[in-house]
Amino acid sequence: MRIFPKWAPVCLLSVVSCLLCAVAARAIDCDTLPARPPIEFDSLHVFQFSGGANCWGYTAPDGTPYALMGATDGIGVVNVKTMHVVGLVPMQQCVWRELKTYRHYCYAVSECNADPNPGMMIIDLQYLPDSTHLVGTWTIPGPNKSHCISIDTAKGYCYLVRNYTGFHIISLANPESPLLVNAVTTPDMHDMTAFGDTVYVAEGNAHSFSIWNVANKAAPVMLARVTIPGGGYVHNIWPTPDRRYLVTTEETAYKTVKFWNRENLNSIQLVAEYLGPSNLAHNAHVEGHYLYLSHYESGISVLDISTPECPVEVKRFDTYELGDFPQFEGCWGVYPHTAGSGYVYASNLDGRLYIFHTDIVTSDFQGSPRVGTAPLTVNFTDASPQSQSWRWYFGDGDTTVLENPSHVYSAGLYDVELRITSPQGTGTEFKPNYVTALAETLKVADTALGQSATAYWEIRAKNNVPIAEIKLPVRLGNVPALATFDSISTVGCRTNYFELQQIVYDNRPAGQEAIRLKADNGGGSPPLPPGDGPIARVYLTIQPNAAPNGQIALSLPPMGSHTLLATTLTTTYVPALTSGTITILSSTCLCDCHADPICDGQSDILDVSKTIDVAFRGVNPTIDINCPHAGRTDVNCSGATDIIDVINIISVAFRGADPATSFCDPCAL
């Protein structure tokens, strides 16, 4: 179970008109972001039904939008184009009703105890506006009722709350004859949202939410669970379109709507909170970069969440005129998913169905490639419906009004924003950390080693963005003919603090080993900051009979499923490698003119101590290949480290002797 990090600050709540609080998981100064103006939000019509629960929508093949109202006595259907009620599918009396659509069908459930309960009702909408048809019911296993329903329309699967203890997985391959596939158990459950074989679960009285991979319907896998400290009744959950963030609501007075960064499933982070005047939120829906909340007595709240760490309320519409208290009155449901038409539907518990129109226009764009070595040319494409004009902000100070521009980035991490106009109004799409232009290179130095030398070869990384994880499949050429591959280590490296250091492939006799390095493996360690230095050491020993002038190359090729990959907070990429080569020298050239075997740039007591360790204590003079004279304790090139070498280094360190005139051998490196 993943527990919300104790160090993350929590906003103190007070009964105020609006609470907005940001908790930074990444360094964002909300005050520096572009202003996000209020939006137009016009109430076009209000319909009265006999009590109300949730609402939903359906768009016919001819583009006609319909609003669906979960009323006390059935499902009401409104033609939004003509603003007329065109049907009511009668059902048992019930104050709770949930509904979703798939293809031209509406699926409705309730949890009322009327006998007999119809289970899940299946309504055919294809004959609208003329008629609707109840084409069947499906018996829900157990008590034959369900509180909530979600449909993954891309995959064709329905998910039903299973008596508050988990969810059913149901195939809609035959929409009029659903098929039960499996069931999942959770500690408690109120609602879920399903997209692309991922189910996000709000776990009610367990004060938690969870994320499930259901690609294998026979064996779903829980990816993460977060328990909210001091949490209320975790009511619903909805991801952002890029699936990097989640929004949760808690149907408990004075409990905030919470925004979570879920990019690292091992450490899901709370990044912001919001609460409207009534201090009681109900359901959250994300459409584009706007969050729509049904907020009980506060009505509807609309937030711009283009930067989820910094949500901004841009509109509020009060659908309940009698107060602003944390009571179960007012707005139950909101539906903004109307295919970019600008319509928004909202349902009140008193039976009112509101039809709104907003000037929010769905806008989107794509860029490719998003990651690469600088200078990086990114080609952008507007993906907004019916756009007429464009203004791009590339994040480096440059802008353009072209429809589909290209832009060249220098090294760095960049936000990108597109503002468009269309016949319906204006729209903005802001994508933070969207382009990564890398200065990253992995480098391995060229050097030379003598026969029988033991050394470590450093793999150095120069990175301009943080690295959360890196996989290094290391291959040494001419092993075992010229050398043995001893090990890979992070000792003395920038990655030494990484929590996961796992050998994932080991065939060192053939010169191959792969290591996986991950900064945060549950303990919350930060990613590797930008910088330049070693990230791994490859230890090797030159064979005593290695042929002089032989060469050993270090490369990072794929090894089975293990490939060179680096992961930032936003993306995964293959870093460039500047490889290195070791040239074999004869053993008589293991000497050096520097008298600096510890390679700190000077001869001092530490070099004397190192030489004594090698000469009299049997310590192996391990060599750092990146500093060619490191480990060279045989300074006079006699073939052995002995008292003469100790004396020579002392003479340099404390008497100012010049190695070049005192003991340096012409073959020294």
Side-chain angles (χ1 to χ4, degrees):
M1 177 178 292
R2 296 297 305 147
I3 304 298
F4 177 72
K6 295 180 180 179
W7 51 263
V10 177
C11 296
L12 297 177
L13 305 185
S14 60
V15 184
V16 293
S17 61
C18 177
L19 182 152
L20 277 171
C21 172
V23 186
R26 58 188 174 113
I28 292 182
D29 183 353
C30 296
D31 293 333
T32 66
L33 295 177
R36 286 165 280 181
I39 61 172
E40 297 296 325
F41 205 75
D42 301 322
S43 177
L44 302 182
H45 207 290
V46 182
F47 296 89
Q48 184 66 57
F49 290 89
S50 59
N54 212 349
C55 61
W56 204 251
Y58 166 71
T59 301
D62 64 0
T64 301
Y66 293 89
L68 308 178
M69 173 69 168
T72 300
D73 55 355
I75 303 294
V77 183
V78 172
N79 184 325
V80 176
K81 189 174 182 179
T82 64
M83 292 298 174
H84 286 93
V85 177
V86 294
L88 178 69
V89 181
M91 297 181 181
Q92 64 190 40
Q93 294 286 315
C94 185
V95 295
W96 292 285
R97 206 175 299 285
E98 294 287 336
L99 58 159
K100 297 292 186 291
T101 54
Y102 175 63
R103 296 182 181 174
H104 56 80
Y105 295 93
C106 172
Y107 296 83
V109 297
S110 74
E111 61 169 0
C112 291
N113 291 317
D115 187 20
N117 190 294
M120 181 169 68
M121 304 187 74
I122 307 168
I123 304 162
D124 192 343
L125 305 175
Q126 68 175 315
Y127 301 106
L128 286 172
D130 298 330
S131 62
T132 57
H133 299 271
L134 179 65
V135 295
T137 61
W138 186 76
T139 301
I140 302 171
N144 199 28
K145 58 185 179 180
S146 179
H147 187 73
C148 287
I149 177 175
S150 182
I151 297 178
D152 183 350
T153 57
K155 299 294 184 177
Y157 281 87
C158 173
Y159 300 86
L160 294 179
V161 171
R162 176 174 162 253
N163 200 28
Y164 297 97
T165 61
F167 57 91
H168 296 293
I169 304 175
I170 301 158
S171 171
L172 299 180
N174 182 343
E176 295 186 13
S177 183
L179 177 66
L180 180 66
V181 176
N182 202 351
V184 172
T185 299
T186 59
D188 192 47
M189 182 166 178
H190 177 267
D191 198 359
M192 75 255 115
T193 301
F195 286 108
D197 284 333
T198 302
V199 179
Y200 305 86
V201 178
E203 296 182 337
N205 281 320
H207 316 301
S208 59
F209 64 86
S210 58
I211 305 173
W212 294 79
N213 182 335
V214 294
N216 181 352
K217 301 296 185 294
V221 176
M222 188 180 74
L223 303 177
R225 172 169 285 134
V226 174
T227 297
I228 304 173
Y233 186 80
V234 183
H235 184 266
N236 101 302
I237 182 170
W238 204 279
T240 56
D242 60 9
R243 309 297 186 255
R244 293 171 57 196
Y245 295 85
L246 301 171
V247 182
T248 58
T249 62
E250 296 166 50
E251 195 183 29
T252 304
Y254 307 107
K255 296 298 182 181
T256 54
V257 178
K258 294 178 172 64
F259 300 79
W260 307 86
N261 183 318
R262 55 137 292 177
E263 293 173 291
N264 183 348
L265 291 173
N266 291 315
S267 183
I268 295 175
Q269 306 261 335
L270 175 66
V271 296
E273 300 179 77
Y274 166 88
L275 198 60
S278 70
N279 295 296
L280 182 62
H282 194 221
N283 286 323
H285 288 255
V286 177
E287 178 65 25
H289 61 263
Y290 289 92
L291 172 69
Y292 297 79
L293 286 168
S294 53
H295 209 297
Y296 279 120
E297 292 194 5
S298 291
I300 299 171
S301 294
V302 184
L303 280 69
D304 184 324
I305 59 168
S306 52
T307 303
E309 291 85 349
C310 307
V312 174
E313 184 185 274
V314 292
K315 189 66 179 181
R316 191 186 315 138
F317 190 96
D318 193 356
T319 65
Y320 186 78
E321 304 84 0
L322 301 181
D324 248 340
F325 301 101
Q327 304 293 331
F328 298 106
E329 300 287 351
C331 189
W332 174 302
V334 62
Y335 179 82
H337 315 293
T338 54
S341 68
Y343 290 113
V344 177
Y345 316 141
S347 55
N348 264 25
L349 282 95
D350 59 15
R352 282 183 285 177
L353 173 67
Y354 287 82
I355 309 296
F356 298 97
H357 192 270
T358 174
D359 66 348
I360 295 175
V361 174
T362 300
S363 56
D364 194 12
F365 66 85
Q366 302 297 326
S368 181
R370 291 180 54 195
V371 179
T373 303
L376 176 66
T377 299
V378 181
N379 301 308
F380 291 99
T381 303
D382 172 36
S384 312
Q386 300 182 329
S387 53
Q388 294 176 325
S389 68
W390 308 265
R391 171 69 71 175
W392 295 84
Y393 298 84
F394 296 116
D396 58 0
D398 285 352
T399 68
T400 186
V401 294
L402 296 177
E403 179 180 0
N404 298 310
S406 296
H407 189 68
V408 179
Y409 286 94
S410 58
L413 186 62
Y414 299 95
D415 304 333
V416 179
E417 181 177 346
L418 170 62
R419 300 178 185 178
I420 62 103
T421 62
S422 79
Q424 288 75 37
T426 61
T428 300
E429 182 66 14
F430 177 80
K431 297 186 178 183
N433 297 338
Y434 189 69
V435 173
T436 304
L438 301 168
E440 264 102 336
T441 54
L442 299 179
K443 291 184 178 180
V444 181
D446 289 329
T447 192
L449 289 174
Q451 297 164 340
S452 302
T454 297
Y456 58 80
W457 213 352
E458 285 184 346
I459 300 174
R460 302 175 66 89
K462 182 178 181 181
N463 59 302
N464 64 318
V465 296
I467 296 176
E469 181 178 345
I470 190 164
K471 298 177 182 177
L472 298 171
V474 177
R475 182 181 186 278
L476 296 182
N478 285 322
V479 171
L482 298 182
T484 60
F485 189 162
D486 298 330
S487 64
I488 302 176
S489 172
T490 64
V491 173
C493 297
R494 299 167 62 205
T495 53
N496 192 40
Y497 73 92
F498 274 32
E499 295 175 11
L500 179 66
Q501 302 185 24
Q502 178 184 16
I503 300 298
V504 293
Y505 181 86
D506 189 356
N507 188 11
R508 282 172 293 164
Q512 298 180 358
E513 186 168 78
I515 188 170
R516 179 188 179 198
L517 304 173
K518 187 176 182 182
D520 180 9
N521 196 41
S525 293
L528 183 71
D532 186 359
I535 60 171
R537 288 176 172 176
V538 178
Y539 287 80
L540 69 156
T541 300
I542 304 301
Q543 300 286 20
N545 59 348
N549 299 316
Q551 292 190 328
I552 303 168
L554 187 151
S555 58
L556 302 174
M559 296 178 186
S561 61
H562 307 292
T563 59
L564 173 63
L565 284 176
T567 302
T568 71
L569 295 176
T570 59
T571 190
T572 298
Y573 65 96
V574 179
L577 169 67
T578 301
S579 189
T581 301
I582 297 174
T583 300
I584 308 299
L585 301 174
S586 67
S587 60
T588 59
C589 284
L590 286 175
C591 52
D592 189 71
C593 295
H594 295 80
D596 181 21
I598 69 166
C599 203
D600 64 354
Q602 60 187 352
S603 295
D604 53 24
I605 189 63
L606 297 177
D607 299 294
V608 175
S609 176
K610 174 72 172 178
T611 307
I612 291 172
D613 285 342
V614 175
F616 303 110
R617 296 174 182 165
V619 174
N620 193 322
T622 300
I623 299 167
D624 175 1
I625 292 175
N626 297 277
C627 178
H629 56 272
R632 312 287 201 205
T633 54
D634 181 17
V635 294
N636 67 349
C637 207
S638 67
T641 300
D642 52 26
I643 189 62
I644 302 300
D645 298 296
V646 176
I647 294 171
N648 284 332
I649 292 181
I650 289 174
S651 68
V652 174
F654 303 109
R655 297 174 185 168
D658 182 358
T661 60
S662 301
F663 53 79
C664 184
D665 186 272
C667 75
L669 297 177

